[in-house]
Amino acid sequence: MTTGNSEQPTVRQLRLVVEAEDYDAAVAFYRDVLGMPEEAAFQGDGGARVSILDAGRATLELSNPAQVRLIDSVEAEGRPSARLRVALEVDDAEGATRRLVEAGATLIAEPRETPWRSLNSRLDGPAGLQLTLFQELDAGT
C-alpha cells in the first residue's frame, strides 16, 4: 500500500531472519515437513549457508500485553508465549500439528477453536521458534 507520497518508503517484503544452530534439521523441518518451498539458497566462505523459504503472505502483528494475555489464555491455557512467536496459516491445523510433532516439535497446546473462528495450536519448533499454527474456519465463506 502506498500513500501517494513518493518520499514515503514502502515495505516490499517482511523477512524473518533466524539463526539455526542445526541448520540442516531446521531446513528439513520448515521446508520439507511444514511445506515452505525454498525460494533460494546460498553458500559462502567458512561454511556459511542460508535458505530463503516462501511463507506466503507476510504480516506484522503488533499486540499490547493485554492482547497477548488474551491470546495466551485462549490458545495455550494461559501459558505465556515467547516475546516473538511465529504464526503460520495452514489448511489443516490438526494434521500439520501432528506432522510437526512427529518431526520433533514440542507440543505446547493442542489445536482448539478460538473466539475469532480459527483452529490454533502452539508448538516449539527448531531454531528456538515458538509457533502458532492456525486454520481459518470461515475461509472461503
Side-chain angles (χ1 to χ4, degrees):
M1 182 172 127
T2 61
T3 61
N5 180 348
S6 63
E7 303 288 322
Q8 183 70 27
T10 301
V11 174
R12 301 279 180 224
Q13 181 180 160
L14 173 66
R15 186 173 289 180
L16 179 64
V17 181
V18 178
E19 179 181 349
E21 289 293 328
D22 190 340
Y23 172 82
D24 291 322
V27 169
F29 182 88
Y30 293 105
R31 182 191 61 203
D32 303 335
V33 179
L34 190 53
M36 298 169 81
E38 190 171 76
E39 278 188 9
F42 304 98
Q43 296 184 17
D45 294 339
R49 295 168 54 196
V50 62
S51 290
I52 300 170
L53 306 181
D54 183 358
R57 184 177 77 97
T59 61
L60 178 60
E61 181 176 320
L62 302 172
S63 300
N64 70 8
Q67 178 65 21
V68 170
R69 286 189 299 274
L70 173 64
I71 292 169
D72 289 345
S73 72
V74 168
E75 193 172 279
E77 289 106 28
R79 286 182 293 238
S81 56
R83 179 163 168 69
L84 176 65
R85 182 170 40 84
V86 179
L88 301 165
E89 183 178 2
V90 296
D91 291 332
D92 174 13
E94 290 177 348
T97 300
R98 185 177 57 254
R99 286 190 304 279
L100 295 186
V101 168
E102 290 169 359
T106 301
L107 183 67
I108 296 172
E110 294 279 348
R112 78 241 2 255
E113 187 173 335
T114 68
W116 41 92
R117 297 281 304 137
S118 61
L119 189 64
N120 293 23
S121 66
R122 190 175 292 176
L123 310 104
D124 281 327
L129 289 180
Q130 190 172 89
L131 307 172
T132 290
L133 299 184
F134 68 98
Q135 173 186 348
E136 297 293 359
L137 297 176
D138 292 333
T141 59

